[in-house]
Every structure is written in C-alpha cells, then in structure tokens.
Amino acid sequence: AIHELPCVICFAKGLKQATKTIAHHSIGGGLGLKVSDLKTCALCEFHHNKGDNGEAIHETPLWEWEEKFFTQDELILMTNKLLENETA
C-alpha cells in the first residue's frame, strides 16, 4: 500500500513526483534493530536517497533534513492519513 501512495513531501509541497515511491523506515531504532512497519512513511526515491543539496534523508544530517522538510513523526502521520483516505 505504501508504494501506491505519493511521496508525502512532494504531495504536501505540491511538487511533481519524478521517481517511484518507496517505504522509508524511521531512523533511530537503535543499532541493528528493525523499526516497526508502523513507523514507515512514503517517500520518493529522490527524497529518500537520490536527491542532492540536502534533499535526501539518507544523504543529509537528520536534524538538517527535518528542519528543511518535516520530522519523521510528521511524515508518518501524513502517510497514515493518506492510507486512511485510500481505504475509505
């Protein structure tokens, strides 16, 4: 279901999404611990790991990326709202 959603950043900012949506698992689960699927958000490849100049969450210090866009918790809430609308 996540892969069928738009990137929550592109969606929220009214941007045209150019790459496919992938599931991003929240950073900060601890060393070697897999984060729960409940803490997943929909990000396009660009905002996940392919963007430059501070656009990709895995290529930018987390605090800097969250300051520019949204916190991971906000992204998860946004993703859950889109999922709710999809099943309604």
Side-chain angles (χ1 to χ4, degrees), residues 28-44:
L31 245 78
L33 298 176
K34 184 181 181 305
V35 177
S36 165
D37 285 339
L38 298 174
K39 296 202 84 172
T40 302
C41 58
L43 292 179
C44 63

Side-chain angles (χ1 to χ4, degrees), residues 41-53:
C41 58
L43 292 179
C44 63
E45 289 178 316
F46 182 78
H47 286 117
H48 189 249
N49 64 346
K50 297 200 186 292
D52 53 6
N53 298 324

Side-chain angles (χ1 to χ4, degrees), residues 57-69:
I57 194 168
H58 286 296
E59 301 300 325
T60 309
L62 183 59
W63 67 267
E64 185 179 316
W65 191 89
E66 287 185 332
E67 199 171 87
K68 183 174 186 174
F69 295 108

Side-chain angles (χ1 to χ4, degrees), residues 2-88:
I2 292 273
H3 299 96
E4 296 168 11
L5 296 176
C7 167
V8 290
I9 292 172
C10 291
F11 182 80
K13 297 203 173 273
L15 304 172
K16 184 176 190 293
Q17 183 174 334
T19 58
K20 68 180 181 177
T21 298
I22 55 177
H24 166 72
H25 291 85
S26 182
I27 298 169
L31 245 78
L33 298 176
K34 184 181 181 305
V35 177
S36 165
D37 285 339
L38 298 174
K39 296 202 84 172
T40 302
C41 58
L43 292 179
C44 63
E45 289 178 316
F46 182 78
H47 286 117
H48 189 249
N49 64 346
K50 297 200 186 292
D52 53 6
N53 298 324
E55 298 288 326
I57 194 168
H58 286 296
E59 301 300 325
T60 309
L62 183 59
W63 67 267
E64 185 179 316
W65 191 89
E66 287 185 332
E67 199 171 87
K68 183 174 186 174
F69 295 108
F70 303 94
T71 67
Q72 292 180 98
D73 287 340
E74 290 170 326
L75 294 172
I76 291 164
L77 288 172
M78 293 161 70
T79 298
N80 288 337
K81 280 193 181 292
L82 288 174
L83 284 168
E84 287 171 14
N85 291 340
E86 190 176 79
T87 58

